[in-house]
């Protein structure tokens, strides 16, 4: 979801995001030719970076007035460049994140995280690395031992919210790997006021950085993330973590509203 920001008042943007009710809403303010200041709000708080809202906003801008081309967005975490291309009768957008980072997930927060999720150590895939990863936001990365375990997502909303706020995490990224270039994902997002996010490009980018760091990228450095399947809202994220620097995440969007001030 995106809106054109007119007065830049955080309380007003937060109120509108809560009224809209999507996991994140992007607010854009034009500051130059194809250049915008962007802020993201969940129904409960401002979020420093949101990849899927970036993709949706870029597609909506292209559809409404700008057409294909390059965009420069100034976010709370830095510059985000987005390339928009024409595909069929619509548009396809590719964002490039700020430089990714990885870190160890300490044993204490890990134990608290597993307890909040009602997971045991045996529920983790021993062959894939857990950790913290950053592509604009920090995300703990956990790999479920089976796809069936991933499908069973019932967690302590209050406990996970408190833990995420204390640790500064964006979402909790829960994954299984079908093969090197195809990963299934669920992203718990209680700090945003929703149980789960159907698409999280920021987490997909962070995952790309973690896989790059651990030498686990497929040949060519590209893979796909399937998210939202268990919510009945399947979303496909294409990730390119080849080379160095920012991670590239691609996707498209479709319009749900026709009001000139908003789109998706």
């Amino acid at each position: 979801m995106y809106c054109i920001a007119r007065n830049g008042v955080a309380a007003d943007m937060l109120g509108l995001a809560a009224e809209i009710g999507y996991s994140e809403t992007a607010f854009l303010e034009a500051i130059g030719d194809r250049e915008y200041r962007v802020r993201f709000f969940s129904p409960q708080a401002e979020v420093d970076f949101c990849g899927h809202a970036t993709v949706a906003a870029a597609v909506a801008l292209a559809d409404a007035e700008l057409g294909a081309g390059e965009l420069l967005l100034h976010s709370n975490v830095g510059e985000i460049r987005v390339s928009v291309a024409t595909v069929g009768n619509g548009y396809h957008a590719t964002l490039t994140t700020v430089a990714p980072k990885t870190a160890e997930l300490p044993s204490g927060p890990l134990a608290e995280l597993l307890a909040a999720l009602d997971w045991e150590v045996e529920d983790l895939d021993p062959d894939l690395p857990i950790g913290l990863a950053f592509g604009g936001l920090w995300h703990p990365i956990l790999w479920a031992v089976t796809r069936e375990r991933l499908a069973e997502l019932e967690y302590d909303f209050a406990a996970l919210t408190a833990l995420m706020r204390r640790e500064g995490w964006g979402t909790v990224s829960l994954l299984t790997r079908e093969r090197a270039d195809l990963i299934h994902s669920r992203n718990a997002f209680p700090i945003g006021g929703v149980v789960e996010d159907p698409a999280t490009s920021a987490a997909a980018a962070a995952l790309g950085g973690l896989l790059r760091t651990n030498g686990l990228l497929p040949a060519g450095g590209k893979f796909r993330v399937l998210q939202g399947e268990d919510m009945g809202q399947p979303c496909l994220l294409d990730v390119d973590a080849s080379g160095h620097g920012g991670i590239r995440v691609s996707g498209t969007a479709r319009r749900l509203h026709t009001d000139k001030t908003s789109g998706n």
Side-chain angles (χ1 to χ4, degrees), residues 59-144:
V59 170
L61 285 172
D63 183 60
E65 55 183 311
L66 295 183
E70 303 299 313
L71 298 172
L72 177 60
L73 305 182
H74 298 268
S75 76
N76 287 356
V77 298
E79 292 184 355
I80 307 296
R81 296 188 178 275
V82 188
S83 178
V84 183
T86 303
V87 178
N89 294 324
Y91 295 96
H92 184 270
T94 300
L95 66 87
T96 301
T97 70
V98 296
K101 306 173 188 176
T102 59
E104 180 182 353
L105 178 53
S107 59
L110 172 59
E112 292 180 71
L113 177 55
L114 292 176
L117 293 169
D118 195 24
W119 281 29
E120 304 292 339
V121 172
E122 291 75 19
D123 292 318
L124 299 174
D125 188 332
D127 297 324
L128 292 169
I130 63 172
L132 297 172
F134 176 89
L137 296 174
W138 283 102
H139 307 264
I141 306 290
L142 299 183
W143 300 88

Side-chain angles (χ1 to χ4, degrees), residues 13-31:
M13 290 187 275
L14 178 60
L16 183 55
E19 179 181 341
I20 291 168
Y22 289 127
S23 54
E24 281 100 2
T25 298
F27 293 84
L28 303 173
E29 179 184 1
I31 57 176

